[in-house]
């Protein structure tokens, strides 16, 4: 089995490197690596999750798959994160401070005309991105999930280094539909095309996983000898905190004793880790 490198990022607890990268998106590899020469890379990012929400760090929330990976891998005792979603994602995608990447705050609406600079509200076009550099080095690059780094189509993932994309372009949305009466337009995309969820049977978290699996299946069929980079960026657990009824009822009674009780139990469990 080919080696796969796993990296886990959490929006509130994301370790973002700020090493300087080349000032150009152009990087030519001398040779195209194969999967035997380079590991495939999977980054799983969870939105607005506190690290104590993970079972491996003492949570009452059951996260067995992540716990299993943590037990077999590495966990961190120190971290740094930006206090907003878009700045953290911008740092992850570019390796730069968010102010350098044009996302010191949040994204700006399509059609607005913000001044260029730290608060322009979209990923700075002149900066190379992680998927772009990896694609130039021979990787196939895929993303499924929340983007939130530019609302206008020229700033969508496929224009910033990804070969395939599915997910939520905007910052937050219902997990079941795109609401038409929201303060700003919410949009989803499949590659370069707008995507509208079906009226029934759609759930954002499941769809994010399903499309990631589709991309990897296509990769195995079309490019089995190429390494891949998959950025799997869930909207969950960002508000509005939607979950299937069965998942909600699985926690009936767990929180009846209130916030302080849960906090004390988590803290005691964390000290044992």
């Amino acid at each position: 089995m080919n080696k796969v490198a796993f990296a886990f990022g959490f929006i509130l607890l994301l370790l973002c490197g700020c090493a300087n990268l080349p000032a150009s998106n152009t990087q030519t590899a001398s040779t195209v690596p194969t999967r035997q020469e380079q590991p495939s890379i999977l980054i799983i990012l969870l939105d607005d999750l506190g690290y104590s929400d993970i079972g491996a760090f003492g949570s009452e929330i059951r996260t067995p798959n992540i716990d299993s990976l943590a037990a077999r891998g590495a966990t961190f005792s120190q971290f740094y994160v930006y206090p907003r979603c878009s700045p953290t994602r911008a740092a992850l995608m570019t390796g730069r401070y968010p102010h350098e990447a044009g996302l010191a705050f949040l994204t700006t609406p399509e059609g607005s005309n913000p001044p260029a600079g730290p608060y322009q509200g979209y990923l700075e076009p002149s900066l190379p991105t992680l998927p772009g550099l990896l694609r130039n080095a021979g990787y196939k690059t895929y993303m499924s999930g929340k983007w939130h780094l530019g609302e206008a189509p020229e700033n969508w993932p496929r224009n910033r280094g990804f070969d395939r994309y599915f997910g939520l372009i905007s910052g937050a949305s219902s997990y079941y539909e795109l609401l038409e009466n929201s303060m700003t337009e919410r949009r989803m995309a499949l590659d370069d095309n707008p995507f509208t969820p079906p009226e029934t049977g759609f759930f954002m978290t499941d769809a994010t996983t399903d499309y990631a699996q589709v991309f990897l299946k296509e990769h195995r069929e079309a490019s089995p000898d190429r390494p891949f980079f998959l950025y799997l960026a869930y909207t969950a657990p960002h508000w509005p905190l939607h979950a299937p009824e069965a998942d909600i009822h699985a926690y009936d009674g767990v929180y009846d004793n209130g916030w302080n009780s849960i906090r004390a139990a988590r803290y005691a469990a964390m000290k044992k880790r």
Side-chain angles (χ1 to χ4, degrees):
M1 180 178 294
N2 293 300
K3 178 182 178 183
V4 178
F6 290 94
F8 290 90
F10 308 103
I11 281 298
L12 291 180
L13 305 160
L14 180 61
L15 300 169
C16 294
C18 294
N20 289 326
L21 293 176
S24 170
N25 272 311
T26 302
Q27 178 175 317
T28 303
S30 56
T31 59
V32 176
T34 66
R35 292 185 64 181
Q36 287 71 37
E37 297 169 336
Q38 297 285 354
S40 290
I41 302 169
L42 168 63
I43 295 180
I44 301 177
L45 187 144
L46 305 179
D47 198 343
D48 285 350
L49 184 84
Y51 71 93
S52 70
D53 291 331
I54 297 296
F57 287 95
S59 178
E60 74 289 344
I61 301 170
R62 295 183 287 276
T63 57
N65 293 322
I66 295 176
D67 297 350
S68 175
L69 290 169
R72 293 183 283 125
T75 56
F76 296 93
S77 60
Q78 299 184 51
F79 56 87
Y80 183 81
V81 67
Y82 296 102
R84 285 278 186 169
C85 169
S86 293
T88 302
R89 294 169 188 271
L92 176 64
M93 286 293 101
T94 65
R96 300 293 189 103
Y97 290 111
H99 289 71
E100 294 180 90
L103 280 153
F105 187 52
L106 296 176
T107 55
T108 49
E110 181 183 7
S112 62
N113 189 29
Y119 297 93
Q120 63 192 28
Y122 55 88
L123 208 57
E124 172 53 42
S126 65
L127 289 181
T129 62
L130 175 60
L133 292 170
L134 288 171
R135 184 166 68 179
N136 290 341
Y139 280 72
K140 297 290 288 184
T141 57
Y142 310 100
M143 178 180 175
S144 184
K146 174 179 167 180
W147 176 238
H148 206 200
L149 291 175
E151 291 286 335
E154 61 265 25
N155 299 314
W156 287 6
R158 291 246 301 162
N159 289 320
R160 298 316 316 263
F162 287 101
D163 293 314
R164 297 294 313 274
Y165 171 71
F166 166 80
L168 180 67
I169 294 293
S170 309
S173 180
S174 166
Y175 290 27
Y176 296 98
E177 59 185 335
L178 290 178
L179 299 178
E180 296 181 355
N181 60 348
S182 59
M183 294 180 61
T184 58
E185 181 182 2
R186 307 295 182 181
R187 57 179 66 183
M188 296 182 66
L190 177 57
D191 293 325
D192 298 324
N193 302 309
F195 176 89
T196 301
E199 293 184 1
T200 60
F202 180 84
F203 186 66
M204 186 80 72
T205 303
D206 291 343
T208 299
T209 301
D210 291 344
Y211 272 91
Q213 292 177 329
V214 167
F215 295 158
L216 291 184
K217 181 176 183 294
E218 292 176 352
H219 178 85
R220 288 194 299 269
E221 294 172 350
S223 307
D225 295 327
R226 297 271 297 277
F228 68 80
F229 169 64
L230 172 61
Y231 176 35
L232 188 53
Y234 288 99
T235 303
H238 191 289
W239 59 265
L241 294 176
H242 287 160
E245 287 294 327
D247 291 345
I248 295 173
H249 289 310
Y251 290 88
D252 286 348
V254 171
Y255 299 99
D256 287 355
N257 291 330
W259 163 259
N260 289 331
S261 175
I262 291 295
R263 180 185 182 277
R266 283 197 186 187
Y267 183 60
M270 288 171 66
K271 290 194 294 184
K272 295 178 181 179
R273 295 304 193 267

